[in-house]
Amino acid sequence: MTDIIKLTAAETAAKIASGELTAVQVTEAHLARIEAVDEKVHAFLHVDRRGALAQARAVDEKRAKGEKLGPLAGVPLALKDIFTTEGIPTTVGSKILEGWIPPYDATLTKRLKAADVVILGKTNMDEFAMGSSTENSAYGPTGNPWDLTKIPGGSGGGSSAALASFQAPLAIGTDTGGSIRQPASVTGTVGVKPTYGAVSRYGMVAFSSSLDQGGPCARTVLDAALLHEVIAGHDPMDSTSIDAPVPPVVEAARNGSVAGMRVGVVKQFRGEGYQAGVIQRFDESVALLKELGAEIVELDCPSFDLALSAYYLIAPSECSSNLARFDGLRYGLRTGDDGGHSAEEVTSLTREAGFGPEVKRRIMLGTYALSSGYYDAYYGSAQKVRTLITRDFEKAFEQVDVIVSPTTPTTAFAIGERADDPMAMYLADLCTIPTNLAGNAAMSLPCGLAPEDNLPVGLQIIAPAMQDDRLYKVGAAVEAAFVEKWGHPLLEEAPSL
């Protein structure tokens, strides 16, 4: 079992295709791992043992018949509990949808099934994806496999923890302000936020519609690219979906190189609040890029300093609109429906019981920002800042091919450490938010351990919209050089559970 769960997704798929392993063997190994360690980690909210084994048997039957298998056929995956799954609960980490079983699959779920990827179950997350630590889940926090007293990032901490604890070789996350990349950073894994609109949002429960983006999570750059290729592509069911070919991400991951590339370093992505060990590892990564043949270009993007403020007006405003549908009348939790309350009272009682503190906080912020007399001062101004950030990116990409930065200013902090300080929590997404506001593509990959606490540090790579292949080209080169020079931190240094 240990040998199977330590394989990469690409290696697993190759062994299944050759007959060296069966999909059922691989699935059973990961289900056994979940049973052995997830009580400690709490990465999963729902494990679909019967469904996963049925999918695995179907893959083995296809291979026995000589049918062609896809590049990830039979590989297990952990799915963030924000995508609808027919017949399997989708809670979005909230009590307001506890026990809700969707009657349909999200487009992303359909594409995973069509590619014969085995879905193990649904992973824990901050309620409605609102958070940076997975402490806001209504079902309890997830632990970071490197240190179970630390957070695994958020909002997709369940997916990142499943990867880092070897419960799954692949996972899916969503990224509204950094919720794929920040968990990847603090768990020593790889996470990619594709270009906005590159992966369908149909069937993905909405938090902030102009920012939300699903994406791949893995332990290697190539595995992330293989998964990216499966889930990306135009979807007529999503009005924001981009009708364009998927960039050649797998080819880029197999042929990583930075020779002759111009790599930008933004001066706004360092300074007060950044952990010394994070900056040290980032500076070493920049030096490594230079060794590999890249030209380093210093960039000044002044509007990035306003990104956090703009984000925390735009995202809550959109969430206050999106979450209005959870009224206790149509689906999910219903409280107070005893014949003595009006429809309005039932809605109020349901929301009081069903939404957690962070969701309520953001709904109130957003409702205020959109209210009469304040719309232009707050939401309207934030959208103007968003335009300035987009222009700063456009100017930057006239000078460079990609931008690099620390993914998050610190390593994983202790569970509970920032629970009573929302502003300190929000600062975890300082480096990731500008990309969401502009809609660009970005990746986080491991760049070592911080010397002061021996916890993972992430390197963020940012590329222009629809140039996602650049992420994989640079990421693969850095990953290969890093492993050759220092070894893979997750495979060689992660503590056993």
Side-chain angles (χ1 to χ4, degrees), residues 284-298:
E284 289 170 357
S285 300
V286 172
L288 182 62
L289 284 163
K290 198 169 182 179
E291 281 180 34
L292 295 173
E295 177 190 351
I296 307 302
V297 180
E298 297 287 335

Side-chain angles (χ1 to χ4, degrees), residues 98-110:
E98 186 171 20
W100 181 60
I101 298 178
Y104 71 102
D105 280 331
T107 295
L108 181 142
T109 307
K110 286 182 179 178

Side-chain angles (χ1 to χ4, degrees), residues 273-288:
Y274 285 77
Q275 188 175 320
V278 169
I279 293 298
Q280 180 182 333
R281 294 294 177 245
F282 173 67
D283 288 343
E284 289 170 357
S285 300
V286 172
L288 182 62

Side-chain angles (χ1 to χ4, degrees), residues 132 177-178 211 269 274 302-316 362 365 382 385-386 389 409 422-435 437:
S132 304
L211 299 166
F269 285 149
Y274 285 77
S303 64
F304 286 11
D305 286 336
L306 305 173
L308 198 68
S309 300
Y311 175 87
Y312 279 103
L313 285 168
I314 293 169
R362 297 199 193 195
L365 280 169
V385 170
R386 186 177 195 169
I389 290 167
M423 281 307 299
M425 187 75 77
Y426 297 164
L427 288 170
D429 298 330
L430 199 62
C431 302
T432 53
I433 279 173
T435 307
L437 291 169

